[in-house]
Amino acid sequence: MNKKLIKRYTTLGILFFLPVIFLLMLFPAKHHYNPLDVVHGNVMDINSFTSEDNQEVLLTEHITILGFLGTDPMSNAIAASNLKELVYDKFKGFKKFQVVILLPNGTQDDIEALKEEIKSYEDLKYWHFVFGEESQIQAVYNSLKSRNSLKTDLSTHDVFIIDKDLNQRGRLDDRSDSEKEKGKEVYPLYAYDCIEVAEIKNKLSADDLRVLFQEYRERRKGNFDSSTRRANDLKQTNEQ
């Protein structure tokens, strides 16, 4: 047989079988990863709030990015745009994913202007603006773990990850590898600042949400049991 043909068939064989061998090696192995920490439990649901179209919007049974834009939503347009472009646009097709923004009653007209600012000809089907009394908004915020208080206008640049069981997700240890090597004191990450593009892009979007979706994929396959992990996470959080 022609040497060139032998070389060609050998190359094609290698290109075909190497990926197959690689997948066969991975098949019996279990996928190991660190689930996204539960930093707080029992987040208040939003049953008492009203959505734009009067449809029921709840946190339970959804993977939610929860935000607060206050009495003057347009003043927080940059934070909303960052959230839309860096997070919502990437995950809006994932099952049960949603962005929920809490606002005080009376801001409905302002939201129309904000939507025109951020939507960029794309639908906001999984982005919900919901409205309630100031006391209701404060109550939901108080049910979260946070290092910061809401501003007097009921806004914050921070957004929070809420899982399907109304647990707040984040990082109990947000130190970088270099900080760990230097023995720097442990500090948590409870929320993600939408003004800090690197934090939203690299931590919330690139890492933490993807890990959470992976957890739920493993659950559907019956390969994930988070009960012990959650109990330990909540115990550590309560001790801080």
Side-chain angles (χ1 to χ4, degrees):
M1 185 181 289
N2 189 298
K3 289 184 178 181
K4 288 185 178 180
L5 287 177
I6 294 174
K7 185 177 181 180
R8 180 185 300 173
Y9 289 140
T10 301
T11 302
L12 290 174
I14 292 172
L15 291 175
F16 176 79
F17 285 109
L18 271 182
V20 175
I21 294 171
F22 179 71
L23 289 173
L24 288 174
M25 292 174 64
L26 289 179
F27 183 74
K30 292 183 178 180
H31 179 62
H32 295 286
Y33 68 98
N34 292 322
L36 188 61
D37 296 323
V38 174
V39 298
H40 192 59
N42 299 318
V43 175
M44 182 181 292
D45 213 335
I46 54 174
N47 314 62
S48 56
F49 286 75
T50 305
S51 68
E52 294 176 278
D53 53 7
N54 292 317
Q55 296 297 313
E56 185 177 54
V57 176
L58 297 173
L59 305 182
T60 187
E61 295 302 322
H62 291 82
I63 296 174
T64 304
I65 301 299
L66 181 64
F68 302 77
L69 291 186
T71 58
D72 183 14
M74 284 301 294
S75 67
N76 295 297
I78 293 176
S81 294
N82 288 343
L83 181 61
K84 196 266 183 186
E85 294 174 8
L86 300 176
V87 180
Y88 177 80
D89 287 350
K90 291 184 178 180
F91 293 96
K92 63 182 179 181
F94 283 69
K95 188 175 182 179
K96 295 295 184 180
F97 172 74
Q98 64 179 0
V99 171
V100 174
I101 305 297
L102 304 190
L103 301 120
N105 289 324
T107 58
Q108 282 84 343
D109 291 341
D110 299 311
I111 287 306
E112 291 305 315
L114 180 64
K115 286 164 66 176
E116 291 299 319
E117 180 80 14
I118 69 173
K119 69 179 184 179
S120 303
Y121 305 104
E122 296 182 34
D123 72 88
L124 295 176
K125 181 179 179 181
Y126 305 104
W127 181 304
H128 306 293
F129 295 101
V130 296
F131 305 91
E133 300 297 327
E134 293 187 8
S135 59
Q136 294 172 321
I137 294 172
Q138 191 66 62
V140 173
Y141 193 83
N142 290 344
S143 74
L144 300 164
K145 191 84 169 180
S146 177
R147 288 186 160 188
N148 305 309
S149 301
L150 274 181
K151 297 177 184 177
T152 55
D153 68 348
L154 300 175
S155 74
T156 177
H157 291 152
D158 289 345
V159 294
F160 303 81
I161 299 177
I162 313 299
D163 70 17
K164 295 183 180 182
D165 300 309
L166 298 179
N167 290 307
Q168 179 182 342
R169 297 296 191 102
R171 303 183 182 192
L172 294 173
D173 184 355
D174 191 36
R175 294 176 299 170
S176 65
D177 290 339
S178 61
E179 288 174 331
K180 291 176 182 177
E181 291 174 1
K182 295 175 182 177
K184 186 172 180 179
E185 185 177 351
V186 174
Y187 58 87
L189 179 67
Y190 300 133
Y192 306 79
D193 189 342
C194 286
I195 296 298
E196 298 294 332
V197 172
E199 184 164 294
I200 291 295
K201 184 176 181 180
N202 299 328
K203 292 184 179 181
L204 176 57
S205 182
D207 286 340
D208 293 3
L209 268 180
R210 294 187 185 279
V211 168
L212 185 56
F213 279 113
Q214 177 64 29
E215 175 185 322
Y216 279 104
R217 280 193 292 268
E218 294 296 318
R219 283 185 175 197
R220 287 195 295 271
K221 297 175 183 177
N223 298 330
F224 186 85
D225 179 10
S226 64
S227 57
T228 302
R229 174 62 183 249
R230 288 188 173 189
N232 291 336
D233 289 345
L234 290 172
K235 181 179 179 181
Q236 292 178 40
T237 303
N238 292 332
E239 290 174 351
Q240 291 179 1

